[in-house]
Structure formats: C-alpha cells, structure tokens
C-alpha cells in the first residue's frame, strides 16, 4: 500500500465566522485497486464530511479544487456509502464480470471486490463513478496553472516533461504538440473523451483551445488507454471541462503587451442530484511585436533589421454549457456543448510579411455520457458530434500557390461503450482481476468546397485485464486493440458510393507491470505497440498541389518504458516532495512524408523510419509553507533510420536534445481578512540541440528564456492579482525558421471568485 500525505481544506456548510478556513492534515493509504480512499485521522480530529470538502493540496505541489480532482486524486463530491458497486460497505454479493469482443459478451458470476467497514476514527471517501479513474494519467495539470496572467494551453503543456510545443508566434499563433519525440500527427487530443482531431486529419492547433471551460488537463505519455478508442504512438491529451456540484462564480479579466486582452467567466450551480455550469471565454491580441530579421543573410549581420510583425491579429470567443444529473446513487448523466469561433491573420515568414491573408474557424462539440456504477458491471456509454468549418482567405495570393479562398467542413459523429467488472479471486480479496472491454465507432466526413466529399467509417474494439496482486504489491495490466477504417470509393464525387473492404487497419497492444514494494515509490515497466491510420487528406489530397495516395499503410510504433514515481512522506508534515523519473525508447516505421516532384506537386509516401530514446525527470516541491518549486527535464536522442540518404543517420527536426523548465516560487500566507497569499516567482525555459531540417543543415542556437511574476490575494481570498513578465532579456527566439516569437512581454490578470452561499 502506498502512503501519501495530503493537506485537506474543508469548511462546514454555511462557512465559518470571518471566513476563516479550518485546516487538517490527514494521511491517505490507498492500495492500487481499492474502491475507495481511507483517511486515517488523529484521535483529536473530528470526522470530515466529504460533502463539505473544498480543496486538496495534491502530490504535484499544486492545490486542487474539489471539482478539479481527477484520476488518482478524485474525491466524491458527496459521500454515497453504497457507491462501491451499489452495495453498502461490508456487504458481499455475487457480481458479473464482463468478457467481451465486438460481436458477443460473456457474463461470468463472481464475488465483487467489496469495501470493508471503516474502523473507528476513520472516514472512507469513495470516488465518483467516473471512467477517469479507470486509466490514471501520466500527469495532471490542475486549474491553478490555467488561470494566471499570459497563460494559454501551449504554455502549460510546454512546462511538462516529455512534451514539446512548436509555435509560429505569440498568443493565438499556430501551435503543435510533440510527446516524447513523436510527430504532431501521432498525438491525439480529446475534450472529455470527444476527439478534437478533424475528419480531414492533421494535428490539432493548440492555440484554438479556450481556457475558460477547462478544469484540468490529463496527459498520457507514450500510451493510449483503451477508453479513448484509437491508439496513439506519441500519447493522449484529454482536456477536462470544469466540474459541477456546488454554487460557484468566477470572473477574470487580463491584458498586456501587443494589445493582448482576455476575459472569461464561469457560473455553476446545483446539488447532489443535478447541476449545471456555463463558461464563456474571450482572448485576443494585435500581435504587433518587434523582432530582429537577418534579411535573408544569416552570415552577414550588417543588413539585419528590426521589424514589426504584421497581419498577426487574433480573436477567439468560446462558450460552454454543461449539465449533470444523478437520478440515483451510482448513476451519472452528463451533457455538454462547446462552441468556439476564432479569426486570425496569417503573417507569413519574417522575411515575407503578408497583408490580407487570414483564417476563420468555427467548431462545435456536442457530447453526452451515461455512467453506471451501481451494479457489478460498471458501464460508461458516450456519444458525440464534432463539427468544424474553416475558411481560408488569401485574396492577394500571398501564401502558397493556390491563393483565393478555400472553405472546408468536417463532421465526426461517434459513440463509445466501456464495460468494467472487478472480480475478487479469493475470499480475502488479496487477488483481484478487473476486465475492461471497449468498443467505438466514428464517422469521418470531410467536405471541401468545390471538391468531392470524403467519408469513412472507423471502428475500434479493445479488451484489457488488470490483475492486482496485493501480497506481491504489484499488478499486471495487459490490453489488445483492433482498429480499422471502412472507406467510400475515392473516385466517386458523391457520398453515396458503396463501402469497400477495410484497407487500413491494424492491431495494437500494451503490457505493463506496476510494483509498489519500495515505500512511497511506484515502479512501472511497460511495452506497447501503437499505430496511426492515414488521414483523409493523405489518402485523397486536395485535387490541386497535393495528391492523395490510397495505398498508404498505417504508421506503426513500438515503445518500451521504465519509470519510477516517489512521493516523499519522510520529509515531514510541512513539506511535500514528488519525484518522477522515466526512460523510454520508441521505434517507428512506415512514417508518412510528403514527397514533391518537379511540378511542385506533393504526394504522401510511407518512406521513413525513426528511433527516439529519452529520459524524463520531474520534481515538485512545497516546503515549509513558504517555498514551491517545479522542474521538468527531457533529454532526447533521435535518429532517422530510413532509406533516404540525405536523412538517414541524422537527428529528427524540431526535437531539441535538451529541454528544461523550472519554476521557483516564494510565498507567504498573510492570513487576514484583507490579504491572503502573496508570492513572487522565477521561471527558466532552456532548450539546446535543436535542428529545423531533415538534413540537419539548419540548427537553432541554445536558448534561455527567463520569466518573473508575482501574485497576491485580497478580500478574504476572493480577489487574486497576477503579474507575469515573459522573456525579460528580450532574447530573439524562434521554434520554426522564419517565424519569430515575441520578445519582452508583460501580462496582468485579475480574478474574482466570490463565496456564494449554499
């Protein structure tokens, strides 16, 4: 059993006189597959009512609100004693274990994993019946890291070990994510399990993800849990919307350099049986920062110029409505709808500024999920419809060869079903087996204006077994998945073409051994194989300067990983320390690359292979209630192992050999009604060993970006002022050749979170 120390903050209903907050320290003991949490309290501490729990300081060093706790940190909003498989604690009954394929389900009678009656002086807090707990993420980015000044999704992801973001500019600029040296196409992004990748294919632009609706970000490095359907060679990023369950209002405004502005808000209300939340978000910038141009002569500094970025404006508006209903204990229904609209200029490279080109995008995500955890079989059924429209305008023919206007629409409706049934293999429940079966379907429909509509059906099914051996302090997880695409005839101009046999399909697997024998430490050894199906764009092109290739086969990757996570309970109650270390290696084959001919026409081919090895280190510290620190380091050793002579044996572009991020923060809790916590921070972002081309002819000098900031809480902690200064030295930096990043930038944000009565 792993023993972890948390700091809980709770408040009786109705609040306390003067807004004071009662703090208690408790120790949580949790075995790997226990259905609940056991809070061991001192004899002098009263029992904690989970329904009044407000927040928790999690092991990563950042506070979590109750509605933001996820995965291994999830707590029930309301304590329902019969939540563990629909039975009161101490009750034993027969259960059904599900073993399924895409065609049949076999039900097996077995005793369920029970929940022992809590001892005197303890409180059991049981997780809510959520599939999020079935596959704990590698990392969780809480809401506290998403609300500061100058923050956006690309920035917070860049701070995590193993993650690399390539940006074409400042706020609102096109941003791509790489996980453990993967391509951006090999990373899949979701919003509450709804895929964000469009039907056309290609990576998700991180800059289009609004902050207002987000409650947390789940990161799965190097693996794809079977709950998400399709596999992913690089990993999964699941954006989690804000949780519901209590009356809450939050408003934030901000602004800064280059006419940057932002405004967002959230209001939620509800109780134990029903809740609703509304979120709205606006962000924008003129983006007219100054940058240094070499005027196209990298080796002649005499003609360098200082220019102002043109046509770099950005505006985005987003709104979310989310509702939850608990018709009975252990049953949860969730419905959400997220609408996002954005418009941006496309400034081109620093040498060839544009004047009129731009891109407008509208996206709507509608989803519903039913979760049932009151039976021996736990069920999660979800359905969704994702729609997007992009409108590219280039009236002056400033970008590419086509110019003019291009409008595209994408439809991705789909559904997923997951069934899980923990089984006790012995009377003492020392050995448990948890089968998990999933099946999913999605329709990908791409409608480019003036070109044939493309459509395909994507199917996936998976089975997973999790064996928990408490006497050995370990458990073994093994899963296998199949996914394939049924595609319409590409030669017909309409959707009504007959469906052909699947020509893009494959199987993937994962096996992991988790060991907890060392106190406070978890060791994980895993091997996995994943694939990426060719996109509709790669298969069919655009009938212009990109030709499709229906003979493409899926990209495939084989990965090995060894990791260790240590929660230091030996440092004392006043300090929290978490340490993570991981080593990995991935071999990928049949990588899809666009090959251009003499007529400037590109066609995708399976022509490349690669090997990526690396080490990740992460540290989180909260010491003596006055010092916080976070650090993340990634070292990559990449090699192109393909047959193309100009690339073979060379490093992969856009994968820095060294990436280091560190934040050091000093803080003090004033503890009065007028003032709460105040603090200052220093941030360092260092990269080295990066190249921008496959032949390794263009390298990027090592760079260090320094940032500073400060925050202060006022008025019984209901107001928070945050100031952030980025790139204080004004260093000239870029992620992609010809696309400069901003220099010195100042941002300020003010957040108001009033205490609303019950």
């Amino acid at each position: 059993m792993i023993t972890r120390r948390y700091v809980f903050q709770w408040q009786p209903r109705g609040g306390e006189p003067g807004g004071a907050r009662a703090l208690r320290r408790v120790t949580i003991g949790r075995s790997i597959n226990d259905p609940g949490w056991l809070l061991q309290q001192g004899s002098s501490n009263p029992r904690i009512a989970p329904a009044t729990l407000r927040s928790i300081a999690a092991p990563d060093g950042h506070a979590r609100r109750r509605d933001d706790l996820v995965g291994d940190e999830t707590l029930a909003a309301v304590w329902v004693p019969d939540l563990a498989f629909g039975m009161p604690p101490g009750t034993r009954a027969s259960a059904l274990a599900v073993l399924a394929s895409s065609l049949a389900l076999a039900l097996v009678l077995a005793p369920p994993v029970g929940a022992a009656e809590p001892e005197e002086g303890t409180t059991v807090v049981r997780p809510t019946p959520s599939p999020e707990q079935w596959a704990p993420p590698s990392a969780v980015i809480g809401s506290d890291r998403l609300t500061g000044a100058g923050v956006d999704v690309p920035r917070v992801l860049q701070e995590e070990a193993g993650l690399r973001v390539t940006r074409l500019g400042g706020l609102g600029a096109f941003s791509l994510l790489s996980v453990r040296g993967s391509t951006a196409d090999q990373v899949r992004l979701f919003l509450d399990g709804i895929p964000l990748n469009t039907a056309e294919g290609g990576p998700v632009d991180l800059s289009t993800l609004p902050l207002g609706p987000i409650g947390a970000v789940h990161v799965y490095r190097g693996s794809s849990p079977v709950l998400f359907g399709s596999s992913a060679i690089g990993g999964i990023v699941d954006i989690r919307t804000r949780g519901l369950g209590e009356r809450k209002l939050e408003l934030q405004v901000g602004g800064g350099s280059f006419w940057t502005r932002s405004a967002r808000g959230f209001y939620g209300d509800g109780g134990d049986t029903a809740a609703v939340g509304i979120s709205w978000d606006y962000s924008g910038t003129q983006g007219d920062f100054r940058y240094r141009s070499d005027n196209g002569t990298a080796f002649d500094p005499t003609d360098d110029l200082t220019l102002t970025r043109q046509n770099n404006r950005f505006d985005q508006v987003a709104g979310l409505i989310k509702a939850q209903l608990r018709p009975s204990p252990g049953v949860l229904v969730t419905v959400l709808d997220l609408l996002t609209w954005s418009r941006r200029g496309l400034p081109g490279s620093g040498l060839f500024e544009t004047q009129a080109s731009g891109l407008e995008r509208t996206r709507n995500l509608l989803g519903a999920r039913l979760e049932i955890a009151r039976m021996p079989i736990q069920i999660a059924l979800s359905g969704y419809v994702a729609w997007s429209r992009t409108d590219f305008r280039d009236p002056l023919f400033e970008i590419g060869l086509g110019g003019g206007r291009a409008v595209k629409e994408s439809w991705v409706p789909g559904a997923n079903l997951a069934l899980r049934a923990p089984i006790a293999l012995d009377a003492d429940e020392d050995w448990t087996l948890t089968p998990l079966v999933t099946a999913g379907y999605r329709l990908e429909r791409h409608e480019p204006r003036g070109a044939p509509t493309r459509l395909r059906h994507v199917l996936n099914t998976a089975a997973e077994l999790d064996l928990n051996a408490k006497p050995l302090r370990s458990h073994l997880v093994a899963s296998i998945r199949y996914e394939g695409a049924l595609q319409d005839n590409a030669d017909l101009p309409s959707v009504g073409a007959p469906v052909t046999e699947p020509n893009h399909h494959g199987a993937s697997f994962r096996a992991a051994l988790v060991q907890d024998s060392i106190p406070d430490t978890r060791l994980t050894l895993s091997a996995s194989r994943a694939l990426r199906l060719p996109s509709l764009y790669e298969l069919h092109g655009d009938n212009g300067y990109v030709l499709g290739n229906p003979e493409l086969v899926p990209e495939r990757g084989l990965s090995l990983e060894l990791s260790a996570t240590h929660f230091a309970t030996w440092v004392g109650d006043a300090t929290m320390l978490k340490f993570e270390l991981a080593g990995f290696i991935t071999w990928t084959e049949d990588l899809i690359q666009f090959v251009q001919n003499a007529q400037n026409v590109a066609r995708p081919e399976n022509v490349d292979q690669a090997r990526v090895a690396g080490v990740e280190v992460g540290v989180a510290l909260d010491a003596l209630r006055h010092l916080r620190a976070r650090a993340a380091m990634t070292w990559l050793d990449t090699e192109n192992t393909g047959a193309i002579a100009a690339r073979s044996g060379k490093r992969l572009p856009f994968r820095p050999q060294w990436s280091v991020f560190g934040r050091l923060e000093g803080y003090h809790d004033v503890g009065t009604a007028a003032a709460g916590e105040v603090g200052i921070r220093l941030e360092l972002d260092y990269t080295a060993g990066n190249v921008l081309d496959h032949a390794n002819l263009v390298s990027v000098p090592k760079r260090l970006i320094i940032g500073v900031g400060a925050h202060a809480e006022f008025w019984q902690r209901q107001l928070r002022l945050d100031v952030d200064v980025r790139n204080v030295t004004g260093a000239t930096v870029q992620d992609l050749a010809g696309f400069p990043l901003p220099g010195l930038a100042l941002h300020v944000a003010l957040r108001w979170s009033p205490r609303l009565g019950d």
Side-chain angles (χ1 to χ4, degrees):
M1 178 179 292
I2 298 178
T3 300
R4 305 175 183 172
R5 182 178 60 262
Y6 294 76
V7 181
F8 282 86
Q9 169 192 313
W10 71 92
Q11 192 175 43
R13 292 192 180 276
E16 295 182 345
R21 299 182 300 173
L23 295 179
R24 297 289 187 270
R25 287 187 176 271
V26 296
T27 300
I28 294 180
R30 177 183 179 272
S31 62
I32 297 171
N33 260 1
D34 280 351
W37 298 82
L38 190 63
L39 277 64
Q40 184 67 46
Q41 304 171 47
S43 58
S44 61
N45 288 341
R47 291 175 62 87
I48 302 173
T52 65
L53 195 62
R54 295 300 184 194
S55 66
I56 177 176
D60 64 1
H62 291 276
R64 297 271 194 271
R65 292 185 178 88
R66 183 185 71 196
D67 54 2
D68 294 332
L69 300 179
V70 288
D72 273 347
E73 298 167 352
T74 300
L75 298 178
V78 177
W79 182 22
V80 182
D82 64 346
L83 205 54
F85 316 124
M87 298 174 299
T91 301
R92 300 189 57 82
S94 296
L96 293 175
V98 180
L99 299 175
S101 66
S102 60
L103 301 177
L105 296 176
L107 302 181
V108 182
L109 289 175
V113 180
E117 188 73 31
E119 300 176 358
E120 185 67 24
T122 64
T123 299
V124 174
V125 181
R126 305 194 184 284
T128 54
S130 174
E132 299 165 16
Q133 303 165 19
W134 301 355
S138 306
V140 176
I141 301 174
S143 62
D144 57 303
R145 294 172 57 188
L146 299 167
T147 56
V151 172
D152 59 2
V153 173
R155 179 171 173 178
V156 296
L157 290 177
Q158 178 76 10
E159 298 173 0
E160 291 294 319
L163 276 59
R164 171 68 181 173
V165 176
T166 299
R167 308 183 68 152
L168 301 190
L171 178 68
F174 194 71
S175 305
L176 301 178
L177 176 65
S178 169
V179 179
R180 291 184 169 177
S182 71
T183 66
D185 283 306
Q186 294 169 350
V187 180
R188 294 187 61 82
L189 277 83
F190 295 82
L191 178 86
D192 283 356
I194 303 174
L196 292 174
N197 301 74
T198 64
E200 179 184 10
V204 174
D205 179 6
L206 300 178
S207 69
T208 62
L209 302 177
L211 284 176
I214 300 178
V217 180
H218 294 191
V219 179
Y220 300 83
R221 303 187 188 98
S223 66
S224 170
V226 297
L227 288 171
F228 291 100
S230 300
S231 62
I233 298 175
I236 295 287
V237 174
D238 188 24
I239 309 295
R240 308 302 305 180
T241 56
R242 289 175 178 260
L244 305 177
E246 63 180 349
R247 193 179 179 198
K248 179 180 180 181
L249 174 65
E250 182 177 294
L251 301 174
Q252 178 173 322
V253 294
S257 302
F258 324 123
W259 295 100
T260 300
R261 59 270 179 188
S262 65
R264 64 181 62 104
F266 173 81
Y267 177 74
D269 200 355
D272 301 343
T273 59
V276 65
I278 300 175
S279 174
W280 57 96
D281 182 284
Y282 167 76
S283 60
T285 183
Q286 194 65 23
D288 54 348
F289 58 85
R290 306 277 285 174
Y291 68 97
R292 193 70 175 167
S293 171
D294 62 10
N295 206 23
T297 57
F299 302 102
D300 182 8
T302 61
D303 62 351
D304 290 0
L305 301 172
T306 299
L307 303 175
T308 300
R309 203 71 165 122
Q310 302 293 326
N311 193 28
N312 197 32
R313 66 193 180 279
F314 171 78
D315 290 282
Q316 179 168 278
V317 180
L320 169 77
I321 181 168
K322 179 179 179 180
Q324 289 185 333
L325 176 66
R326 298 180 186 270
S328 61
V331 179
L332 176 64
V333 179
T334 304
V335 179
L336 67 85
D337 187 87
L338 173 65
L339 177 63
T340 305
W341 174 87
S342 65
R343 181 174 58 193
R344 64 157 64 101
L346 300 176
S349 70
L351 288 176
F352 304 101
E353 294 276 10
T354 64
Q355 301 296 322
S357 60
L359 182 69
E360 183 175 310
R361 183 191 303 270
T362 307
R363 177 169 57 197
N364 190 82
L365 302 175
L366 173 64
R369 183 168 66 179
L370 169 66
E371 304 168 19
I372 303 177
R374 57 181 302 176
M375 299 183 297
I377 304 175
Q378 299 171 323
I379 302 174
L381 175 64
S382 62
Y384 57 85
V385 177
W387 170 82
S388 65
R389 182 181 186 271
T390 59
D391 187 351
F392 167 73
R393 298 172 182 266
D394 187 15
L396 303 181
F397 293 79
E398 299 172 298
I399 296 180
L401 299 174
R405 183 182 182 187
V407 179
K408 303 176 183 179
E409 289 194 18
S410 167
W411 292 86
V412 184
N416 292 300
L417 173 65
L419 303 139
R420 181 176 182 266
I423 306 169
L425 301 180
D426 64 325
D428 296 328
E429 299 174 2
D430 289 333
W431 296 79
T432 58
L433 182 66
T434 305
L436 171 62
V437 177
T438 67
Y441 164 80
R442 71 177 184 272
L443 172 68
E444 297 180 348
R445 179 187 177 106
H446 175 51
E447 302 177 355
R449 181 178 296 180
T453 295
R454 307 304 182 188
L455 178 144
R456 70 174 176 180
H457 311 266
V458 181
L459 306 170
N460 63 78
T461 183
E464 178 182 278
L465 288 177
D466 186 335
L467 176 63
N468 183 12
K470 293 181 181 180
L472 304 178
R473 293 179 173 269
S474 62
H475 71 139
L476 177 66
V477 180
S479 64
I480 186 169
R481 168 170 28 204
Y482 172 83
E483 50 192 310
L486 297 167
Q487 193 166 304
D488 280 358
N489 193 322
D491 295 329
L492 297 181
S494 64
V495 177
V499 176
T500 66
E501 294 296 320
N503 53 356
H504 301 103
H505 60 91
S508 57
F509 70 86
R510 181 175 184 263
L513 175 64
V514 182
Q515 233 291 325
D516 293 323
S517 295
I518 303 175
D520 304 334
T521 303
R522 168 165 292 185
L523 302 176
T524 304
L525 174 64
S526 67
S528 62
R529 184 171 182 84
L531 55 88
R532 181 183 77 85
L533 299 178
S535 67
L536 288 177
Y537 184 72
E538 293 166 336
L539 293 171
H540 304 301
D542 60 4
N543 294 331
Y545 289 95
V546 176
L547 297 180
N549 182 1
E551 303 302 321
L552 290 173
V553 299
E555 297 181 345
R556 303 177 189 272
L558 176 64
S559 300
L560 300 176
E561 176 188 358
L562 176 62
S563 64
T565 302
H566 179 73
F567 295 93
T569 60
W570 44 268
V571 294
D573 289 343
T575 300
M576 184 285 304
L577 175 62
K578 178 186 177 183
F579 179 80
E580 297 176 290
L581 175 65
F584 62 90
I585 184 169
T586 301
W587 296 271
T588 53
E589 57 186 10
D590 294 324
L591 292 176
I592 299 174
Q593 302 285 339
F594 283 88
V595 179
Q596 194 173 47
N597 61 21
Q599 287 74 40
N600 291 324
V601 175
R603 186 173 188 264
E605 303 281 355
N606 293 109
V607 297
D608 245 339
Q609 299 178 6
R611 173 194 56 78
V612 178
V615 175
E616 300 167 350
V617 179
V619 179
L621 172 69
D622 193 337
L624 304 175
R625 303 185 182 93
H626 292 292
L627 180 66
R628 297 191 189 103
R630 286 185 58 85
M633 186 277 292
T634 305
W635 174 80
L636 291 179
D637 178 38
T638 66
E639 181 184 3
N640 187 309
T641 58
I644 301 177
R647 301 179 180 183
S648 182
K650 303 297 177 63
R651 290 156 50 194
L652 300 178
F654 311 115
R655 281 86 159 180
Q657 185 177 23
W658 291 96
S659 298
V660 181
F661 173 82
R663 176 189 290 120
L664 183 64
E665 181 179 16
Y667 69 96
H668 175 68
D669 192 345
V670 179
T672 66
E677 183 181 289
V678 295
I680 58 175
R681 63 182 179 272
L682 171 68
E683 295 182 356
L684 303 176
D685 188 349
Y686 173 81
T687 59
N690 193 12
V691 294
L692 302 181
D693 66 313
H694 290 281
N696 295 177
L697 299 178
V698 182
S699 61
V700 178
K702 61 183 179 182
R703 75 186 194 198
L704 175 64
I705 299 177
I706 302 174
V708 296
H711 70 271
E713 296 177 339
F714 306 98
W715 192 20
Q716 299 179 350
R717 307 176 190 272
Q718 298 181 61
L719 283 177
R720 178 184 170 102
L721 177 67
D722 194 87
V723 179
D724 181 78
V725 182
R726 181 76 168 167
N727 197 358
V728 296
T729 63
T732 301
V733 293
Q734 58 183 4
D735 286 338
L736 187 66
F739 291 86
L741 300 179
L744 175 66
L746 168 67
H747 296 95
V748 179
L750 179 65
R751 186 172 77 249
W752 180 43
S753 303
R755 294 177 179 171
L756 304 180
D758 292 329

